[in-house]
Amino acid sequence: MGPAPAVAAVRRAVRTLLAGVDGPVLVACSGGADSLALAAATAFVRSRDGRVAGLVTVDHGLQHGSHHHAARIADLGRSLGLDPVEVIRVEIGTAGGPEAAARDARYAALTEVAVARGASVLLGHTLDDQAETVLLGLGRGSGPRSIAGMVATDGRWLRPLLGLRRATTEAACAALGLDVWDDPHNADARFQRVRLRREVLPLLEDALQGGVAEALARTADLLRDDLDALDAWAAGVPIGAEPDVAALAALPRAVRTRVLRRWAAAAGAPTLSAERTAALDALITGWHGQGPLDLPGGVTVRRASGRLVAIPSTTPAGSHHAPKE
């Protein structure tokens, strides 16, 4: 008799993704259903392909007895046959609020151990997490990349369960008899993701008669394809130190703004907000003789003789002799 359908589904997802991955892997495990199911499936796949597969659990220290919980997860990882197994204690800052601060500390710790071991990190994000990510991106208006959600393979970060529902990981843990830990923070309505999960998504599912999580994840996939195509187009546009305004104006805005951000980064302004990008684009499409534009990194940009000129902070503003239009 074969494994339960949910167990088989999780194992298949892990085996499929790892087939294209060389080297050791580490499961990031919190003790919740998603990461426990992932850890068990990874251990099963490891027993078949012989790869090095370990487990890392991060103790955020946010709850009483958190170190005991972390030790229990470590023991479970060892009982599954995962090796190495590590517990990492982190200090949580305050930047960006509690959710962002905990996430930043967790990813920093995971990055450090993964780099030290030359490993990729398996994360237990599911289709439900993807749907929540898309909704957060929509609500915050943070641009199409945020709405495109997470990807299964992102450098050292691997997410084999993105195509599976959370109910599948829960069923897999039940079938395997794994003791799932329900983080109290997952019921704390102060956190945006909790309210999305418990209030917004169920309301949408009811109003739209089901299938919302799958539709949001599908939207992310389709949008990501479009964004990747635009990125590739923009990356292939030749651009010199002083790009020609007319040539830039002939490009579609979605491509032109990507080219402008690439040019600005090369000039010393690596991160442009949407507002700064629009202001830079206005030197091309909304030209009315406006003065120089200051960008992050101490870079000043102006339009001169039909070209964009970037003046780094180390260059005196009067040293460039191109005449202003």
Side-chain angles (χ1 to χ4, degrees):
M1 183 175 178
V7 174
V10 178
R11 288 175 177 175
R12 184 166 54 249
V14 172
R15 184 170 55 247
T16 299
L17 185 59
L18 288 187
V21 176
D22 295 323
V25 296
L26 297 169
V27 179
C29 188
S30 67
D34 300 338
S35 59
L36 275 185
L38 177 61
T42 303
F44 176 83
V45 173
R46 181 212 61 79
S47 70
R48 289 343 191 233
D49 69 11
R51 78 170 62 236
V52 174
L55 179 145
V56 179
T57 186
V58 177
D59 178 7
H60 298 85
L62 295 175
Q63 296 159 356
H64 179 69
S66 62
H67 61 290
H68 294 301
H69 169 67
R72 184 183 70 81
I73 297 172
D75 288 342
L76 177 60
R78 296 184 188 99
S79 72
L80 290 170
L82 295 171
D83 182 48
V85 171
E86 293 194 39
V87 176
I88 304 176
R89 178 70 181 263
V90 297
E91 297 294 329
I92 306 300
T94 58
E99 283 180 286
R103 184 178 60 250
D104 290 346
R106 180 169 61 254
Y107 273 87
L110 291 172
T111 298
E112 183 176 355
V113 68
V115 169
R117 293 190 175 275
S120 299
V121 180
L122 293 170
L123 303 171
H125 295 123
T126 65
L127 186 145
D128 296 77
D129 295 302
Q130 183 77 299
E132 294 162 13
T133 298
V134 173
L135 281 179
L136 280 172
L138 284 168
R140 292 169 176 169
S142 47
R145 267 297 164 197
S146 65
I147 302 170
M150 298 173 284
V151 294
T153 301
D154 183 11
R156 71 173 66 255
W157 310 109
L158 308 176
R159 301 179 177 91
L161 308 186
L162 275 183
L164 301 181
R165 296 298 305 266
R166 187 171 290 131
T168 301
T169 65
E170 292 170 347
C173 288
L176 293 170
L178 296 174
D179 185 13
V180 173
W181 178 63
D182 191 8
D183 186 344
H185 286 157
N186 289 335
D188 192 334
R190 291 177 302 168
F191 300 121
Q192 290 179 330
R193 275 193 179 268
V194 172
R195 298 198 66 183
L196 283 176
R197 185 176 305 149
R198 291 177 168 249
E199 301 174 29
V200 178
L201 274 168
L203 180 61
L204 286 173
E205 291 280 357
D206 180 60
L208 299 176
Q209 301 179 339
V212 170
E214 290 86 354
L216 288 169
R218 187 167 58 250
T219 297
D221 290 340
L222 293 170
L223 181 56
R224 196 179 312 114
D225 288 343
D226 290 347
L227 293 173
D228 289 345
L230 289 169
D231 286 346
W233 183 353
V237 174
I239 184 169
E242 297 184 359
D244 180 73
V245 167
L248 289 172
L251 296 170
R253 183 178 184 277
V255 177
R256 184 175 60 249
T257 52
R258 284 168 164 79
V259 173
L260 286 172
R261 285 193 292 269
R262 172 161 61 93
W263 173 74
T271 54
L272 294 188
S273 66
E275 291 180 349
R276 281 293 184 224
T277 301
L280 184 56
D281 191 45
L283 292 178
I284 298 166
T285 60
W287 177 245
H288 51 77
Q290 58 264 48
L293 173 67
D294 292 328
L295 299 181
V299 176
T300 299
V301 177
R302 62 190 177 97
R303 177 167 163 162
S305 300
R307 295 185 174 276
L308 290 185
V309 178
I311 306 169
S313 58
T314 55
T315 303
S319 66
H320 198 288
H321 301 296
K324 181 180 177 181
E325 290 181 276

